[in-house]
C-alpha cells in the first residue's frame, strides 16, 4: 500500500500548493474540506473539488461545521461584522475565526486515524499571513504532540507545514513551477463571483503575484 496523508484543502492557493507538495512526496491523498458558514463557502467548495481532482485524491471528505456561525466573533462567519478593506493592520484581525485550525486539525486527525494515514498536510503560512495565532509553527507542533497523545498507540501522525516559512510571492512561484491550478483557487474573504481585491487576503494574494512577476488568473472587481 502507498503511504497516505490527509490534506486540509480550503480551496485557497496555500492549501492547493500544500496538497501538490504532498502528492509530489509520494503520498496518496485523502482530501478534507470544511464548510463552516464562511462568506465564500460555495465558491471555496467548488475550488476544493477541482484541487482534490488535480492531485488525484483517493477519498474526499466535505464536512459541515455549522457551529462556527453560532459562535460568531469573526467577520468571515458573522455577517454583522464587516470584512476590513482598508489594508493589513497590526494584531489579530476580525477575520480570525476562533481556534479554527485547532478544530480543523482535530477532525483531520480523526480522519487520518480512521484511514491509518501517516501525515496531515496543512497550508499554514506564518510570516506572510494575516496575523492569525493558529498559523504559527510552534502552535502546530504542539497540536501534533497532543494528537499523538490522544490517539491509539499505533497512530503516529506527522503534521506537515510545507509553506510555513514562505512568503506569498514564493508560494506563487512554487505553485507555478509545480503546475498548481491557480485558476481554480480562491482567496477573497468577501465575494464569490469576482474577488474584491481589497480585503486582507486579496491584498496578500495580489502582492504575491506582483512580486513574483506573474498574472493572477482569477477575476477581480
Amino acid at each position: 500500500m502507498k503511504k497516505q496523508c490527509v490534506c486540509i484543502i480550503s480551496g485557497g492557493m496555500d492549501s492547493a500548493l500544500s496538497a501538490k507538495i504532498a502528492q509530489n512526496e509520494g503520498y496518496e491523498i485523502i482530501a478534507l474540506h470544511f464548510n463552516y458558514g464562511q462568506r465564500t463557502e460555495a465558491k471555496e467548495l467548488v475550488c476544493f473539488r477541482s484541487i482534490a481532482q488535480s492531485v488525484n485524491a483517493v477519498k474526499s471528505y466535505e464536512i459541515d461545521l455549522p457551529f462556527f456561525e453560532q459562535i460568531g466573533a469573526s467577520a468571515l462567519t458573522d455577517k454583522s461584522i464587516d470584512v476590513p478593506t482598508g489594508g493589513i493592520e497590526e494584531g489579530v484581525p476580525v477575520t480570525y475565526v476562533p481556534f479554527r485550525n485547532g478544530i480543523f486539525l482535530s477532525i483531520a486527525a480523526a480522519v487520518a486515524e480512521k484511514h491509518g494515514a501517516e501525515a496531515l498536510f496543512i497550508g499554514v503560512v506564518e510570516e506572510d499571513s494575516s496575523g492569525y495565532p493558529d498559523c504559527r509553527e510552534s502552535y502546530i507542533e504542539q497540536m501534533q504532540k497532543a494528537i499523538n497523545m490522544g490517539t491509539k498507540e499505533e497512530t503516529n501522525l506527522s503534521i506537515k507545514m510545507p509553506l510555513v516559512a514562505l512568503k506569498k510571492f514564493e508560494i506563487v512561484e512554487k505553485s507555478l513551477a509545480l503546475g498548481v491550478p491557480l485558476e481554480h483557487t480562491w482567496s477573497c474573504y468577501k465575494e464569490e463571483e469576482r474577488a474584491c481585491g481589497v480585503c486582507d487576503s486579496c491584498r496578500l494574494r495580489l502582492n504575491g503575484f506582483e512580486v513574483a512577476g506573474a498574472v493572477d488568473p482569477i477575476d477581480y472587481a
Side-chain angles (χ1 to χ4, degrees), residues 9-72:
I9 302 173
S10 67
M13 193 163 61
D14 301 347
S15 62
L17 175 56
S18 177
K20 187 66 178 176
I21 290 169
Q23 183 188 31
N24 286 353
E25 288 184 8
Y27 286 96
E28 205 169 56
I29 290 169
I30 299 156
L32 176 59
H33 180 75
F34 299 104
N35 300 308
Y36 57 97
Q38 67 272 42
R39 288 172 188 258
T40 56
E41 181 177 279
K43 180 67 175 180
E44 288 180 28
L45 182 58
V46 170
C47 290
F48 161 73
R49 290 171 178 167
S50 295
I51 295 160
Q53 191 175 9
S54 77
V55 293
N56 304 319
V58 293
K59 176 82 177 170
S60 284
Y61 288 86
E62 297 169 4
I63 294 180
D64 296 327
L65 302 176
F67 61 83
F68 275 109
E69 283 186 89
Q70 197 174 347
I71 294 167

Side-chain angles (χ1 to χ4, degrees), residues 126-170:
E126 186 164 343
E127 189 176 9
D128 216 22
S129 71
S130 298
Y132 298 153
D134 57 353
C135 288
R136 290 175 296 189
E137 186 173 15
S138 56
Y139 162 68
I140 305 286
E141 287 169 350
Q142 293 302 317
M143 277 297 288
Q144 177 179 295
K145 288 180 187 174
I147 284 166
N148 284 319
M149 282 185 72
T151 46
K152 292 183 295 189
E153 202 170 320
E154 61 268 29
T155 301
N156 185 23
L157 280 170
S158 172
I159 303 181
K160 295 182 179 286
M161 308 166 267
L163 319 187
V164 75
L166 299 184
K167 293 190 176 294
K168 196 63 81 175
F169 79 90
E170 293 173 312

